[in-house]
Amino acid sequence: MKILQIVPSISLIYGGPSQMVIGLSQALATAGEKVTILTTNSNGDAGQPPLDVPLFKPILQDGYQIIYFPCSPFRRYKFSLPLLQWLSHQAKHYDIAHIHALFSPISTAASMVARNQQLPYILRPLGTLDPADLTKKKNLKKLYGWLLERHNLARASAIHFTSEQEAQISERYGIKTQDLVIPLGVSLPNNIPPIGQTRQKFGIPDHTPLILFMSRIDPKKGLSLLIQSLENLIDKEIDFHFILAGSNPQDPTYENEIKQKIQTSKLSLQTTLTGFVQGDLKLGLLRDADLFVLPSYYENFGIAVAEAMAMGNPVIVSDQVHIWPAIEEAEGGWICRCDVASLTDTLITALKHPQVLKERGQNARYLTNTQYSWPAIAQQMIQAYQHLCCH
């Protein structure tokens, strides 16, 4: 099959949901499919220069190809008229398009072009149809949704959700859709830093429990809950060190608020702020952490959680991180509610029993290897593509 993956950007700065397209494309190519990613050179919305990549020509990578297009006009919104022109001319050479993101002008327009060229397409909302997410810029999204995305959803071959819970709660604008529930995958390199190396880098003793938050610094991630809960642990004289790894170039004001809140708190002496991490530092943090925490108010999947589990980290997630049922069933961590009391109690339970922490970390790794491996997910996706192309 010849498959198009269309995404506004695959820059690291946009986090896991965008980066997931790379993992999927590599897995599909390994399985023998011909995959092309169409994307822009967008690299953030706060004045960062665009990605330094060749434009308009295929770049071969791990068995698939990427074609970057310039953001023109409306760079801020990751829009690219040249990408749409290319799609209009080349759509007839492909079997299906997998379009990632809603409420993004390039994805919205790409759906329209695909439909006009009679190219079957799948839409992946990336959590944007979650009622909680729709409250952000509520009036604009309501208008945008009813005027534009409603028609794209109605005419899509399928809507790709990454969990049953995401599918159940998502807004459909009064239309019936063909749902496709397939989770995301994770892949980690073999050259993982030795255990203890990152602890040593930050001066964290081996015997001190290391709690890790590694995600975008965004109000929905529940950081305010986590900070208060960690302060409660200090009041109870529970030993730990907290590492906050992440940034938010699209909302630096909130990021600065969180950093200031920690720096003026009793938590400051037990916290390391790393900013955005990647490469060996990211892997080292995952390797050395004793517990990964993500108490999000809503999360359609939680790729950061899956990455942590793949490294053998037990996790604490809220019951709004939509893979929580799988984590609970596998005993790969603990589930809390989105409130300080529940998160505090859950942290205490987890830290109280080091042996249980290790056992749940092993369970977490097994869960990821069996349910969230890219080869297995690629096979599910290929079957879906084939089915949808024939109907």
mmCIF file with all atom_site columns, all heavy atoms in Angstrom, residues 159-182:
data_model
loop_
_atom_site.group_PDB
_atom_site.id
_atom_site.type_symbol
_atom_site.label_atom_id
_atom_site.label_alt_id
_atom_site.label_comp_id
_atom_site.label_asym_id
_atom_site.label_entity_id
_atom_site.label_seq_id
_atom_site.pdbx_PDB_ins_code
_atom_site.Cartn_x
_atom_site.Cartn_y
_atom_site.Cartn_z
_atom_site.occupancy
_atom_site.B_iso_or_equiv
_atom_site.pdbx_formal_charge
_atom_site.auth_seq_id
_atom_site.auth_comp_id
_atom_site.auth_asym_id
_atom_site.auth_atom_id
_atom_site.pdbx_PDB_model_num
ATOM 1   N N   . ILE A 1 159 ? -12.412 7.477  12.274 1.00 0.00 ? 159 ILE A N   1
ATOM 2   C CA  . ILE A 1 159 ? -11.803 8.369  13.252 1.00 0.00 ? 159 ILE A CA  1
ATOM 3   C C   . ILE A 1 159 ? -10.925 7.516  14.162 1.00 0.00 ? 159 ILE A C   1
ATOM 4   O O   . ILE A 1 159 ? -11.404 6.556  14.776 1.00 0.00 ? 159 ILE A O   1
ATOM 5   C CB  . ILE A 1 159 ? -12.861 9.123  14.088 1.00 0.00 ? 159 ILE A CB  1
ATOM 6   C CG1 . ILE A 1 159 ? -13.943 9.729  13.180 1.00 0.00 ? 159 ILE A CG1 1
ATOM 7   C CG2 . ILE A 1 159 ? -12.184 10.194 14.937 1.00 0.00 ? 159 ILE A CG2 1
ATOM 8   C CD1 . ILE A 1 159 ? -13.418 10.692 12.136 1.00 0.00 ? 159 ILE A CD1 1
ATOM 9   N N   . HIS A 1 160 ? -9.653  7.850  14.219 1.00 0.00 ? 160 HIS A N   1
ATOM 10  C CA  . HIS A 1 160 ? -8.687  7.051  14.975 1.00 0.00 ? 160 HIS A CA  1
ATOM 11  C C   . HIS A 1 160 ? -8.576  7.575  16.401 1.00 0.00 ? 160 HIS A C   1
ATOM 12  O O   . HIS A 1 160 ? -8.015  8.650  16.656 1.00 0.00 ? 160 HIS A O   1
ATOM 13  C CB  . HIS A 1 160 ? -7.316  7.100  14.282 1.00 0.00 ? 160 HIS A CB  1
ATOM 14  C CG  . HIS A 1 160 ? -6.236  6.413  15.037 1.00 0.00 ? 160 HIS A CG  1
ATOM 15  N ND1 . HIS A 1 160 ? -4.900  6.618  14.774 1.00 0.00 ? 160 HIS A ND1 1
ATOM 16  C CD2 . HIS A 1 160 ? -6.270  5.506  16.062 1.00 0.00 ? 160 HIS A CD2 1
ATOM 17  C CE1 . HIS A 1 160 ? -4.167  5.885  15.583 1.00 0.00 ? 160 HIS A CE1 1
ATOM 18  N NE2 . HIS A 1 160 ? -4.980  5.219  16.390 1.00 0.00 ? 160 HIS A NE2 1
ATOM 19  N N   . PHE A 1 161 ? -9.134  6.810  17.325 1.00 0.00 ? 161 PHE A N   1
ATOM 20  C CA  . PHE A 1 161 ? -8.982  7.108  18.747 1.00 0.00 ? 161 PHE A CA  1
ATOM 21  C C   . PHE A 1 161 ? -7.930  6.163  19.332 1.00 0.00 ? 161 PHE A C   1
ATOM 22  O O   . PHE A 1 161 ? -7.758  5.037  18.849 1.00 0.00 ? 161 PHE A O   1
ATOM 23  C CB  . PHE A 1 161 ? -10.311 6.924  19.485 1.00 0.00 ? 161 PHE A CB  1
ATOM 24  C CG  . PHE A 1 161 ? -11.386 7.872  19.026 1.00 0.00 ? 161 PHE A CG  1
ATOM 25  C CD1 . PHE A 1 161 ? -12.467 7.420  18.279 1.00 0.00 ? 161 PHE A CD1 1
ATOM 26  C CD2 . PHE A 1 161 ? -11.322 9.219  19.341 1.00 0.00 ? 161 PHE A CD2 1
ATOM 27  C CE1 . PHE A 1 161 ? -13.457 8.293  17.850 1.00 0.00 ? 161 PHE A CE1 1
ATOM 28  C CE2 . PHE A 1 161 ? -12.308 10.102 18.916 1.00 0.00 ? 161 PHE A CE2 1
ATOM 29  C CZ  . PHE A 1 161 ? -13.386 9.629  18.171 1.00 0.00 ? 161 PHE A CZ  1
ATOM 30  N N   . THR A 1 162 ? -7.250  6.611  20.372 1.00 0.00 ? 162 THR A N   1
ATOM 31  C CA  . THR A 1 162 ? -6.180  5.795  20.940 1.00 0.00 ? 162 THR A CA  1
ATOM 32  C C   . THR A 1 162 ? -6.596  5.042  22.198 1.00 0.00 ? 162 THR A C   1
ATOM 33  O O   . THR A 1 162 ? -5.790  4.319  22.779 1.00 0.00 ? 162 THR A O   1
ATOM 34  C CB  . THR A 1 162 ? -4.949  6.661  21.242 1.00 0.00 ? 162 THR A CB  1
ATOM 35  O OG1 . THR A 1 162 ? -5.335  7.793  22.036 1.00 0.00 ? 162 THR A OG1 1
ATOM 36  C CG2 . THR A 1 162 ? -4.331  7.159  19.942 1.00 0.00 ? 162 THR A CG2 1
ATOM 37  N N   . SER A 1 163 ? -7.835  5.211  22.623 1.00 0.00 ? 163 SER A N   1
ATOM 38  C CA  . SER A 1 163 ? -8.356  4.430  23.749 1.00 0.00 ? 163 SER A CA  1
ATOM 39  C C   . SER A 1 163 ? -9.875  4.403  23.659 1.00 0.00 ? 163 SER A C   1
ATOM 40  O O   . SER A 1 163 ? -10.496 5.270  23.035 1.00 0.00 ? 163 SER A O   1
ATOM 41  C CB  . SER A 1 163 ? -7.932  5.050  25.090 1.00 0.00 ? 163 SER A CB  1
ATOM 42  O OG  . SER A 1 163 ? -8.572  6.306  25.281 1.00 0.00 ? 163 SER A OG  1
ATOM 43  N N   . GLU A 1 164 ? -10.471 3.412  24.295 1.00 0.00 ? 164 GLU A N   1
ATOM 44  C CA  . GLU A 1 164 ? -11.930 3.302  24.321 1.00 0.00 ? 164 GLU A CA  1
ATOM 45  C C   . GLU A 1 164 ? -12.547 4.510  25.019 1.00 0.00 ? 164 GLU A C   1
ATOM 46  O O   . GLU A 1 164 ? -13.590 5.013  24.600 1.00 0.00 ? 164 GLU A O   1
ATOM 47  C CB  . GLU A 1 164 ? -12.354 2.016  25.034 1.00 0.00 ? 164 GLU A CB  1
ATOM 48  C CG  . GLU A 1 164 ? -12.046 0.743  24.270 1.00 0.00 ? 164 GLU A CG  1
ATOM 49  C CD  . GLU A 1 164 ? -12.960 0.529  23.063 1.00 0.00 ? 164 GLU A CD  1
ATOM 50  O OE1 . GLU A 1 164 ? -13.911 1.329  22.890 1.00 0.00 ? 164 GLU A OE1 1
ATOM 51  O OE2 . GLU A 1 164 ? -12.700 -0.413 22.293 1.00 0.00 ? 164 GLU A OE2 1
ATOM 52  N N   . GLN A 1 165 ? -11.894 4.984  26.086 1.00 0.00 ? 165 GLN A N   1
ATOM 53  C CA  . GLN A 1 165 ? -12.440 6.111  26.831 1.00 0.00 ? 165 GLN A CA  1
ATOM 54  C C   . GLN A 1 165 ? -12.460 7.371  25.974 1.00 0.00 ? 165 GLN A C   1
ATOM 55  O O   . GLN A 1 165 ? -13.424 8.137  25.989 1.00 0.00 ? 165 GLN A O   1
ATOM 56  C CB  . GLN A 1 165 ? -11.629 6.359  28.110 1.00 0.00 ? 165 GLN A CB  1
ATOM 57  C CG  . GLN A 1 165 ? -12.252 7.385  29.047 1.00 0.00 ? 165 GLN A CG  1
ATOM 58  C CD  . GLN A 1 165 ? -11.566 7.440  30.394 1.00 0.00 ? 165 GLN A CD  1
ATOM 59  O OE1 . GLN A 1 165 ? -10.768 6.575  30.739 1.00 0.00 ? 165 GLN A OE1 1
ATOM 60  N NE2 . GLN A 1 165 ? -11.854 8.472  31.164 1.00 0.00 ? 165 GLN A NE2 1
ATOM 61  N N   . GLU A 1 166 ? -11.406 7.577  25.181 1.00 0.00 ? 166 GLU A N   1
ATOM 62  C CA  . GLU A 1 166 ? -11.392 8.734  24.285 1.00 0.00 ? 166 GLU A CA  1
ATOM 63  C C   . GLU A 1 166 ? -12.547 8.649  23.291 1.00 0.00 ? 166 GLU A C   1
ATOM 64  O O   . GLU A 1 166 ? -13.232 9.646  23.031 1.00 0.00 ? 166 GLU A O   1
ATOM 65  C CB  . GLU A 1 166 ? -10.061 8.818  23.535 1.00 0.00 ? 166 GLU A CB  1
ATOM 66  C CG  . GLU A 1 166 ? -9.977  10.047 22.629 1.00 0.00 ? 166 GLU A CG  1
ATOM 67  C CD  . GLU A 1 166 ? -8.810  10.022 21.658 1.00 0.00 ? 166 GLU A CD  1
ATOM 68  O OE1 . GLU A 1 166 ? -8.117  8.991  21.566 1.00 0.00 ? 166 GLU A OE1 1
ATOM 69  O OE2 . GLU A 1 166 ? -8.606  11.041 20.973 1.00 0.00 ? 166 GLU A OE2 1
ATOM 70  N N   . ALA A 1 167 ? -12.763 7.465  22.756 1.00 0.00 ? 167 ALA A N   1
ATOM 71  C CA  . ALA A 1 167 ? -13.848 7.288  21.790 1.00 0.00 ? 167 ALA A CA  1
ATOM 72  C C   . ALA A 1 167 ? -15.214 7.555  22.429 1.00 0.00 ? 167 ALA A C   1
ATOM 73  O O   . ALA A 1 167 ? -16.097 8.163  21.817 1.00 0.00 ? 167 ALA A O   1
ATOM 74  C CB  . ALA A 1 167 ? -13.798 5.889  21.202 1.00 0.00 ? 167 ALA A CB  1
ATOM 75  N N   . GLN A 1 168 ? -15.389 7.117  23.650 1.00 0.00 ? 168 GLN A N   1
ATOM 76  C CA  . GLN A 1 168 ? -16.683 7.236  24.318 1.00 0.00 ? 168 GLN A CA  1
ATOM 77  C C   . GLN A 1 168 ? -17.051 8.679  24.632 1.00 0.00 ? 168 GLN A C   1
ATOM 78  O O   . GLN A 1 168 ? -18.214 9.074  24.513 1.00 0.00 ? 168 GLN A O   1
ATOM 79  C CB  . GLN A 1 168 ? -16.677 6.413  25.605 1.00 0.00 ? 168 GLN A CB  1
ATOM 80  C CG  . GLN A 1 168 ? -16.666 4.904  25.365 1.00 0.00 ? 168 GLN A CG  1
ATOM 81  C CD  . GLN A 1 168 ? -16.399 4.108  26.627 1.00 0.00 ? 168 GLN A CD  1
ATOM 82  O OE1 . GLN A 1 168 ? -16.355 4.664  27.731 1.00 0.00 ? 168 GLN A OE1 1
ATOM 83  N NE2 . GLN A 1 168 ? -16.210 2.808  26.475 1.00 0.00 ? 168 GLN A NE2 1
ATOM 84  N N   . ILE A 1 169 ? -16.062 9.487  25.027 1.00 0.00 ? 169 ILE A N   1
ATOM 85  C CA  . ILE A 1 169 ? -16.395 10.839 25.485 1.00 0.00 ? 169 ILE A CA  1
ATOM 86  C C   . ILE A 1 169 ? -16.297 11.900 24.395 1.00 0.00 ? 169 ILE A C   1
ATOM 87  O O   . ILE A 1 169 ? -16.754 13.019 24.590 1.00 0.00 ? 169 ILE A O   1
ATOM 88  C CB  . ILE A 1 169 ? -15.501 11.259 26.671 1.00 0.00 ? 169 ILE A CB  1
ATOM 89  C CG1 . ILE A 1 169 ? -14.047 11.450 26.207 1.00 0.00 ? 169 ILE A CG1 1
ATOM 90  C CG2 . ILE A 1 169 ? -15.580 10.273 27.813 1.00 0.00 ? 169 ILE A CG2 1
ATOM 91  C CD1 . ILE A 1 169 ? -13.156 12.052 27.270 1.00 0.00 ? 169 ILE A CD1 1
ATOM 92  N N   . SER A 1 170 ? -15.743 11.562 23.248 1.00 0.00 ? 170 SER A N   1
ATOM 93  C CA  . SER A 1 170 ? -15.457 12.580 22.243 1.00 0.00 ? 170 SER A CA  1
ATOM 94  C C   . SER A 1 170 ? -16.718 13.154 21.605 1.00 0.00 ? 170 SER A C   1
ATOM 95  O O   . SER A 1 170 ? -17.689 12.437 21.345 1.00 0.00 ? 170 SER A O   1
ATOM 96  C CB  . SER A 1 170 ? -14.560 11.993 21.145 1.00 0.00 ? 170 SER A CB  1
ATOM 97  O OG  . SER A 1 170 ? -13.248 11.806 21.629 1.00 0.00 ? 170 SER A OG  1
ATOM 98  N N   . GLU A 1 171 ? -16.678 14.444 21.347 1.00 0.00 ? 171 GLU A N   1
ATOM 99  C CA  . GLU A 1 171 ? -17.762 15.164 20.686 1.00 0.00 ? 171 GLU A CA  1
ATOM 100 C C   . GLU A 1 171 ? -17.789 14.783 19.205 1.00 0.00 ? 171 GLU A C   1
ATOM 101 O O   . GLU A 1 171 ? -16.753 14.649 18.566 1.00 0.00 ? 171 GLU A O   1
ATOM 102 C CB  . GLU A 1 171 ? -17.518 16.669 20.837 1.00 0.00 ? 171 GLU A CB  1
ATOM 103 C CG  . GLU A 1 171 ? -18.443 17.544 20.037 1.00 0.00 ? 171 GLU A CG  1
ATOM 104 C CD  . GLU A 1 171 ? -19.889 17.402 20.446 1.00 0.00 ? 171 GLU A CD  1
ATOM 105 O OE1 . GLU A 1 171 ? -20.183 17.594 21.652 1.00 0.00 ? 171 GLU A OE1 1
ATOM 106 O OE2 . GLU A 1 171 ? -20.714 17.089 19.562 1.00 0.00 ? 171 GLU A OE2 1
ATOM 107 N N   . ARG A 1 172 ? -18.975 14.592 18.650 1.00 0.00 ? 172 ARG A N   1
ATOM 108 C CA  . ARG A 1 172 ? -19.097 14.235 17.221 1.00 0.00 ? 172 ARG A CA  1
ATOM 109 C C   . ARG A 1 172 ? -19.961 15.219 16.442 1.00 0.00 ? 172 ARG A C   1
ATOM 110 O O   . ARG A 1 172 ? -20.262 14.983 15.281 1.00 0.00 ? 172 ARG A O   1
ATOM 111 C CB  . ARG A 1 172 ? -19.695 12.831 17.061 1.00 0.00 ? 172 ARG A CB  1
ATOM 112 C CG  . ARG A 1 172 ? -19.097 11.750 17.930 1.00 0.00 ? 172 ARG A CG  1
ATOM 113 C CD  . ARG A 1 172 ? -17.622 11.510 17.644 1.00 0.00 ? 172 ARG A CD  1
ATOM 114 N NE  . ARG A 1 172 ? -17.055 10.608 18.634 1.00 0.00 ? 172 ARG A NE  1
ATOM 115 C CZ  . ARG A 1 172 ? -17.140 9.299  18.596 1.00 0.00 ? 172 ARG A CZ  1
ATOM 116 N NH1 . ARG A 1 172 ? -17.780 8.725  17.590 1.00 0.00 ? 172 ARG A NH1 1
ATOM 117 N NH2 . ARG A 1 172 ? -16.604 8.551  19.540 1.00 0.00 ? 172 ARG A NH2 1
ATOM 118 N N   . TYR A 1 173 ? -20.420 16.295 17.064 1.00 0.00 ? 173 TYR A N   1
ATOM 119 C CA  . TYR A 1 173 ? -21.241 17.303 16.386 1.00 0.00 ? 173 TYR A CA  1
ATOM 120 C C   . TYR A 1 173 ? -22.506 16.709 15.780 1.00 0.00 ? 173 TYR A C   1
ATOM 121 O O   . TYR A 1 173 ? -22.949 17.096 14.701 1.00 0.00 ? 173 TYR A O   1
ATOM 122 C CB  . TYR A 1 173 ? -20.423 18.043 15.320 1.00 0.00 ? 173 TYR A CB  1
ATOM 123 C CG  . TYR A 1 173 ? -19.246 18.773 15.913 1.00 0.00 ? 173 TYR A CG  1
ATOM 124 C CD1 . TYR A 1 173 ? -17.974 18.230 15.843 1.00 0.00 ? 173 TYR A CD1 1
ATOM 125 C CD2 . TYR A 1 173 ? -19.420 19.980 16.583 1.00 0.00 ? 173 TYR A CD2 1
ATOM 126 C CE1 . TYR A 1 173 ? -16.892 18.870 16.421 1.00 0.00 ? 173 TYR A CE1 1
ATOM 127 C CE2 . TYR A 1 173 ? -18.348 20.639 17.157 1.00 0.00 ? 173 TYR A CE2 1
ATOM 128 C CZ  . TYR A 1 173 ? -17.078 20.080 17.071 1.00 0.00 ? 173 TYR A CZ  1
ATOM 129 O OH  . TYR A 1 173 ? -16.016 20.717 17.655 1.00 0.00 ? 173 TYR A OH  1
ATOM 130 N N   . GLY A 1 174 ? -23.062 15.729 16.497 1.00 0.00 ? 174 GLY A N   1
ATOM 131 C CA  . GLY A 1 174 ? -24.341 15.169 16.084 1.00 0.00 ? 174 GLY A CA  1
ATOM 132 C C   . GLY A 1 174 ? -24.290 14.193 14.939 1.00 0.00 ? 174 GLY A C   1
ATOM 133 O O   . GLY A 1 174 ? -25.338 13.809 14.412 1.00 0.00 ? 174 GLY A O   1
ATOM 134 N N   . ILE A 1 175 ? -23.103 13.770 14.528 1.00 0.00 ? 175 ILE A N   1
ATOM 135 C CA  . ILE A 1 175 ? -22.998 12.819 13.423 1.00 0.00 ? 175 ILE A CA  1
ATOM 136 C C   . ILE A 1 175 ? -22.487 11.476 13.923 1.00 0.00 ? 175 ILE A C   1
ATOM 137 O O   . ILE A 1 175 ? -21.869 11.373 14.979 1.00 0.00 ? 175 ILE A O   1
ATOM 138 C CB  . ILE A 1 175 ? -22.063 13.340 12.305 1.00 0.00 ? 175 ILE A CB  1
ATOM 139 C CG1 . ILE A 1 175 ? -20.651 13.538 12.852 1.00 0.00 ? 175 ILE A CG1 1
ATOM 140 C CG2 . ILE A 1 175 ? -22.606 14.610 11.693 1.00 0.00 ? 175 ILE A CG2 1
ATOM 141 C CD1 . ILE A 1 175 ? -19.644 13.862 11.798 1.00 0.00 ? 175 ILE A CD1 1
ATOM 142 N N   . LYS A 1 176 ? -22.727 10.451 13.147 1.00 0.00 ? 176 LYS A N   1
ATOM 143 C CA  . LYS A 1 176 ? -22.247 9.114  13.474 1.00 0.00 ? 176 LYS A CA  1
ATOM 144 C C   . LYS A 1 176 ? -20.952 8.868  12.698 1.00 0.00 ? 176 LYS A C   1
ATOM 145 O O   . LYS A 1 176 ? -20.867 9.124  11.500 1.00 0.00 ? 176 LYS A O   1
ATOM 146 C CB  . LYS A 1 176 ? -23.291 8.063  13.091 1.00 0.00 ? 176 LYS A CB  1
ATOM 147 C CG  . LYS A 1 176 ? -22.925 6.655  13.537 1.00 0.00 ? 176 LYS A CG  1
ATOM 148 C CD  . LYS A 1 176 ? -24.052 5.677  13.231 1.00 0.00 ? 176 LYS A CD  1
ATOM 149 C CE  . LYS A 1 176 ? -23.690 4.274  13.714 1.00 0.00 ? 176 LYS A CE  1
ATOM 150 N NZ  . LYS A 1 176 ? -24.770 3.298  13.433 1.00 0.00 ? 176 LYS A NZ  1
ATOM 151 N N   . THR A 1 177 ? -19.954 8.347  13.393 1.00 0.00 ? 177 THR A N   1
ATOM 152 C CA  . THR A 1 177 ? -18.658 8.121  12.760 1.00 0.00 ? 177 THR A CA  1
ATOM 153 C C   . THR A 1 177 ? -18.249 6.655  12.845 1.00 0.00 ? 177 THR A C   1
ATOM 154 O O   . THR A 1 177 ? -18.710 5.917  13.721 1.00 0.00 ? 177 THR A O   1
ATOM 155 C CB  . THR A 1 177 ? -17.561 8.966  13.428 1.00 0.00 ? 177 THR A CB  1
ATOM 156 O OG1 . THR A 1 177 ? -17.483 8.621  14.831 1.00 0.00 ? 177 THR A OG1 1
ATOM 157 C CG2 . THR A 1 177 ? -17.832 10.452 13.289 1.00 0.00 ? 177 THR A CG2 1
ATOM 158 N N   . GLN A 1 178 ? -17.389 6.250  11.929 1.00 0.00 ? 178 GLN A N   1
ATOM 159 C CA  . GLN A 1 178 ? -16.756 4.931  11.981 1.00 0.00 ? 178 GLN A CA  1
ATOM 160 C C   . GLN A 1 178 ? -15.527 5.060  12.861 1.00 0.00 ? 178 GLN A C   1
ATOM 161 O O   . GLN A 1 178 ? -14.572 5.751  12.509 1.00 0.00 ? 178 GLN A O   1
ATOM 162 C CB  . GLN A 1 178 ? -16.350 4.486  10.572 1.00 0.00 ? 178 GLN A CB  1
ATOM 163 C CG  . GLN A 1 178 ? -15.528 3.202  10.525 1.00 0.00 ? 178 GLN A CG  1
ATOM 164 C CD  . GLN A 1 178 ? -16.342 1.980  10.903 1.00 0.00 ? 178 GLN A CD  1
ATOM 165 O OE1 . GLN A 1 178 ? -17.461 1.816  10.432 1.00 0.00 ? 178 GLN A OE1 1
ATOM 166 N NE2 . GLN A 1 178 ? -15.773 1.136  11.733 1.00 0.00 ? 178 GLN A NE2 1
ATOM 167 N N   . ASP A 1 179 ? -15.546 4.411  14.029 1.00 0.00 ? 179 ASP A N   1
ATOM 168 C CA  . ASP A 1 179 ? -14.454 4.572  14.987 1.00 0.00 ? 179 ASP A CA  1
ATOM 169 C C   . ASP A 1 179 ? -13.425 3.464  14.839 1.00 0.00 ? 179 ASP A C   1
ATOM 170 O O   . ASP A 1 179 ? -13.767 2.295  14.614 1.00 0.00 ? 179 ASP A O   1
ATOM 171 C CB  . ASP A 1 179 ? -14.983 4.581  16.419 1.00 0.00 ? 179 ASP A CB  1
ATOM 172 C CG  . ASP A 1 179 ? -15.871 5.788  16.698 1.00 0.00 ? 179 ASP A CG  1
ATOM 173 O OD1 . ASP A 1 179 ? -15.835 6.741  15.881 1.00 0.00 ? 179 ASP A OD1 1
ATOM 174 O OD2 . ASP A 1 179 ? -16.582 5.789  17.711 1.00 0.00 ? 179 ASP A OD2 1
ATOM 175 N N   . LEU A 1 180 ? -12.178 3.855  15.009 1.00 0.00 ? 180 LEU A N   1
ATOM 176 C CA  . LEU A 1 180 ? -11.057 2.937  14.944 1.00 0.00 ? 180 LEU A CA  1
ATOM 177 C C   . LEU A 1 180 ? -10.245 3.153  16.217 1.00 0.00 ? 180 LEU A C   1
ATOM 178 O O   . LEU A 1 180 ? -9.661  4.221  16.407 1.00 0.00 ? 180 LEU A O   1
ATOM 179 C CB  . LEU A 1 180 ? -10.216 3.251  13.702 1.00 0.00 ? 180 LEU A CB  1
ATOM 180 C CG  . LEU A 1 180 ? -8.962  2.437  13.436 1.00 0.00 ? 180 LEU A CG  1
ATOM 181 C CD1 . LEU A 1 180 ? -9.323  0.988  13.150 1.00 0.00 ? 180 LEU A CD1 1
ATOM 182 C CD2 . LEU A 1 180 ? -8.205  3.036  12.254 1.00 0.00 ? 180 LEU A CD2 1
ATOM 183 N N   . VAL A 1 181 ? -10.240 2.173  17.129 1.00 0.00 ? 181 VAL A N   1
ATOM 184 C CA  . VAL A 1 181 ? -9.529  2.317  18.406 1.00 0.00 ? 181 VAL A CA  1
ATOM 185 C C   . VAL A 1 181 ? -8.244  1.493  18.355 1.00 0.00 ? 181 VAL A C   1
ATOM 186 O O   . VAL A 1 181 ? -8.266  0.271  18.439 1.00 0.00 ? 181 VAL A O   1
ATOM 187 C CB  . VAL A 1 181 ? -10.410 1.886  19.595 1.00 0.00 ? 181 VAL A CB  1
ATOM 188 C CG1 . VAL A 1 181 ? -9.638  2.042  20.913 1.00 0.00 ? 181 VAL A CG1 1
ATOM 189 C CG2 . VAL A 1 181 ? -11.692 2.720  19.639 1.00 0.00 ? 181 VAL A CG2 1
ATOM 190 N N   . ILE A 1 182 ? -7.139  2.180  18.181 1.00 0.00 ? 182 ILE A N   1
ATOM 191 C CA  . ILE A 1 182 ? -5.822  1.547  18.157 1.00 0.00 ? 182 ILE A CA  1
ATOM 192 C C   . ILE A 1 182 ? -4.886  2.429  18.975 1.00 0.00 ? 182 ILE A C   1
ATOM 193 O O   . ILE A 1 182 ? -4.776  3.631  18.707 1.00 0.00 ? 182 ILE A O   1
ATOM 194 C CB  . ILE A 1 182 ? -5.279  1.399  16.715 1.00 0.00 ? 182 ILE A CB  1
ATOM 195 C CG1 . ILE A 1 182 ? -6.212  0.510  15.881 1.00 0.00 ? 182 ILE A CG1 1
ATOM 196 C CG2 . ILE A 1 182 ? -3.860  0.824  16.722 1.00 0.00 ? 182 ILE A CG2 1
ATOM 197 C CD1 . ILE A 1 182 ? -5.782  0.355  14.430 1.00 0.00 ? 182 ILE A CD1 1
#
